[in-house]
Amino acid sequence: MRKIMPTILIIDDDPDFLRLLGLWLESEDYRVLSSNNPLQGLELLDQESVDLLITDLRMPIMDGMAVLEAAQARDPDLPVILLTAHGTIPNAVEAMRAQAFGYLSKPFSNDELQTLCTAALAQRLAGRELSKLRADLRAQAGQSILHRSPVMASLVNEITRIATSQASVFLSGESGSGKERVARAIHEASARSDQPFVAVNCGAIPSELAESELFGHVKGAFTGATQDHIGLIRSADQGTLFLDEIGDLPLALQVKLLRVLQEGTLRPVGAKTEISVDLRVISATHQDIHALTASGAFREDLYYRLHVIPLRVPSLSERPEDILLLAQYFLDRESQRLERNIPGFSPEAMDKLMQRPWPGNVRELENAITFAAAVTEKGWVSGEAIPDAGRQGGSRAFPPLQDAKTAFERVYLENLLRATDGNISRAARIAGRHRTDLYKLMRKHGLAPQLFKNQEERDDAP
């Protein structure tokens, strides 16, 4: 398969510099477009798909700041690098405030340019991925289950197929994989959608209150029963009852639930007569229901009543195509709630999201994005904002050695560049490495020295 080369447009009024810069970029496997006339260069943006714009700051026909503004009017997500032979602090401040991706002062080294280009193009890819994510979210607006993966598309099709049935559905899958959301999707696609959907976590109800909470009670049934209580099962009458963690239901209550499924009736605690109920039951567990049945912890006859239509909800690790879509959905929700302008994830954050195993599934992902939004005041979510997986004992307590080395290397470089205000010579001396070695490491991690210039000096500049 032929490699797709990123396209870089260069605008500079110096023909010799334009030619040399173009030759070097082509040698680095970039497709290059160039123009020594800013107006003609901007026309190329209308004719070509450009990934990065590099423009000189001082030009007679139209200066670089005007080119930047015109380019962003055409494509707000296009990264722009400004070049100047007058590399003063005010130039840098003006460029960054105008939303340039970065700037370089002439003369600059090939390593400096390559590092900045790599970071800018990574951001461009992130921007394009964000556009695709937003398009997918718009297309699936209002749907209960967001997905890109084939395995979830198959599950959604199965949900549509079984929704019209009245048969009991049994959901299996890991904790946090979204079983309740699947149950709700079945309800919303059914003829009962305008009736109640009642979700009950069987493992969260204290055993001494379980019967009353589920089946209700009449006034005077026991001490403290000062009035009738209809119970959760009757609350779902005409609708759908979702019994999560059904494997935790005590055996005594399993008998009463079996009667509800067989006869469509129940007897509240203390009542003398049966009450009819009409509902569809969806149950779920992360446990091995077959093992529970074999051990006698779960009634076999109840199992067969519940296990009419079995559905398995895949873990997040089985549906990696959905990770960024779900993450963007959670981020948009939190950004709106916090009233912050957080458009999406940086390339480093996307990599971190995709590389993490997510043993806690969608619930763990949601919690991680909630944290990331809380620590991001504005702009793109950085890789550092994505929390590391909690220590969980066993092999998960330690990442692979190479992953740990890579993570340390990046944090070290970021701290080093902050400490030296992006001065590569000083950073190389402190690190005990050659400048070229440092540039290679920065390029590996998509770090640009210009992004670490002292912010206070920028803000204090005239």
Side-chain angles (χ1 to χ4, degrees):
M1 182 178 295
R2 191 170 68 88
K3 179 181 178 182
I4 300 176
M5 296 187 295
T7 299
I8 299 178
L9 170 61
I10 315 168
I11 301 176
D12 197 298
D13 62 327
D14 183 341
D16 293 333
F17 176 81
L18 195 67
R19 182 177 60 84
L20 289 173
L21 181 57
L23 288 173
W24 184 83
L25 289 172
E26 287 176 347
S27 72
E28 294 295 314
D29 289 334
Y30 296 119
R31 175 175 175 257
V32 176
L33 305 173
S34 61
S35 176
N36 62 3
N37 183 309
L39 295 176
Q40 294 176 356
L42 289 172
E43 289 178 0
L44 289 173
L45 288 178
D46 299 325
Q47 302 165 7
E48 301 277 353
S49 177
V50 175
D51 301 301
L52 171 62
L53 170 61
I54 301 175
T55 180
D56 194 21
L57 184 61
R58 299 291 180 87
M59 295 180 290
I61 300 176
M62 186 180 192
D63 69 16
M65 299 302 290
V67 170
L68 170 63
E69 183 178 353
Q72 290 183 334
R74 288 169 166 81
D75 184 351
D77 297 323
L78 178 67
V80 179
I81 296 174
L82 292 172
L83 307 178
T84 176
H86 310 273
T88 63
I89 290 177
N91 288 149
V93 172
E94 187 181 6
M96 303 314 282
R97 285 177 177 168
Q99 301 302 308
F101 182 84
Y103 75 95
L104 286 172
S105 299
K106 299 177 182 177
F108 49 81
S109 70
N110 292 344
D111 283 331
E112 288 177 299
L113 177 62
Q114 179 63 47
T115 298
L116 198 54
C117 285
T118 299
L121 290 168
Q123 187 65 51
R124 177 62 161 175
L125 288 175
R128 285 181 169 165
E129 177 62 21
L130 175 61
S131 297
K132 294 177 183 176
L133 290 171
R134 293 213 182 283
D136 286 344
L137 288 173
R138 285 193 299 270
Q140 298 183 42
Q143 296 185 20
S144 297
I145 300 177
L146 301 174
H147 66 282
R148 280 176 156 183
S149 63
V151 65
M152 287 306 291
S154 177
L155 179 60
V156 169
N157 289 336
E158 188 69 9
I159 288 171
T160 303
R161 189 178 67 83
I162 69 171
T164 56
S165 169
Q166 297 302 311
S168 298
V169 179
F170 190 89
L171 304 176
S172 60
E174 297 178 3
S175 293
S177 58
K179 295 187 290 296
E180 181 174 340
R181 185 165 288 273
V182 170
R184 191 176 293 275
I186 295 171
H187 170 74
E188 291 174 353
S190 73
R192 299 177 181 265
S193 60
D194 58 346
Q195 298 298 324
F197 174 86
V198 178
V200 180
N201 188 327
C202 298
I205 304 176
S207 57
E208 64 274 14
L209 299 177
E211 183 175 6
S212 173
E213 285 297 306
L214 286 171
F215 297 90
H217 63 254
V218 297
K219 181 180 179 180
F222 50 84
T223 302
T226 58
Q227 59 185 8
D228 290 351
H229 173 60
I230 67 171
L232 293 168
I233 294 178
R234 285 177 64 196
S235 297
D237 191 27
Q238 304 301 315
T240 303
L241 177 67
F242 174 54
L243 298 173
D244 197 9
E245 298 304 341
I246 188 68
D248 293 331
L249 192 67
L251 277 168
L253 297 188
Q254 291 179 28
V255 176
K256 296 196 69 172
L257 178 60
L258 180 63
R259 183 166 184 81
V260 173
L261 295 173
Q262 287 179 331
E263 307 296 336
T265 61
L266 61 80
R267 180 177 294 180
V269 178
K272 296 181 179 180
T273 58
E274 298 281 333
I275 297 175
S276 296
V277 289
D278 174 22
L279 46 78
R280 184 182 194 178
V281 175
I282 302 175
S283 53
T285 183
H286 74 283
Q287 302 181 68
D288 185 342
I289 193 67
H290 300 286
L292 290 175
T293 303
S295 68
F298 198 84
R299 292 182 62 97
E300 187 175 21
D301 47 4
L302 178 58
Y303 164 78
Y304 286 119
R305 284 286 180 178
L306 295 173
H307 204 269
V308 179
I309 301 177
L311 285 181
R312 180 178 173 276
V313 182
S315 64
L316 192 55
S317 62
E318 296 175 84
R319 45 186 291 208
E321 302 93 335
D322 297 336
I323 291 175
L324 294 182
L325 184 70
L326 293 170
Q328 189 63 49
Y329 170 79
F330 296 137
L331 180 64
D332 288 345
R333 185 193 65 189
E334 289 302 303
S335 180
Q336 182 177 9
R337 186 181 68 83
L338 297 170
E339 298 182 345
R340 295 179 181 177
N341 181 22
I342 311 174
F345 298 94
S346 70
E348 296 79 17
M350 286 187 180
D351 287 343
K352 194 168 182 179
L353 289 171
M354 293 303 297
Q355 291 171 10
R356 187 160 156 179
W358 302 111
N361 294 293
V362 179
R363 186 181 298 124
E364 182 185 2
L365 174 64
E366 182 177 6
N367 291 340
I369 302 307
T370 300
F371 175 87
V375 300
T376 304
E377 293 185 4
K378 62 180 180 180
W380 297 70
V381 174
S382 68
E384 291 179 340
I386 305 296
D388 294 326
R391 294 182 177 272
Q392 300 186 29
S395 62
R396 286 176 181 164
F398 298 95
L401 179 59
Q402 187 56 48
D403 290 352
K405 286 181 177 179
T406 300
F408 171 80
E409 192 175 74
R410 179 181 175 82
V411 172
Y412 176 85
L413 283 172
E414 289 179 342
N415 291 336
L416 180 63
L417 289 167
R418 288 193 187 97
T420 58
D421 299 331
N423 186 305
I424 300 302
S425 296
R426 288 172 54 199
R429 284 198 298 272
I430 294 172
R433 304 292 291 268
H434 293 295
R435 284 167 53 96
T436 53
D437 293 335
L438 206 60
Y439 274 119
K440 288 178 181 178
L441 287 174
M442 291 166 61
R443 191 154 56 242
K444 170 184 173 182
H445 294 284
L447 300 175
Q450 287 74 16
L451 304 181
F452 296 88
K453 298 296 182 183
N454 188 294
Q455 188 61 49
E456 291 183 1
E457 290 184 7
R458 291 181 183 175
D459 293 341
D460 293 341

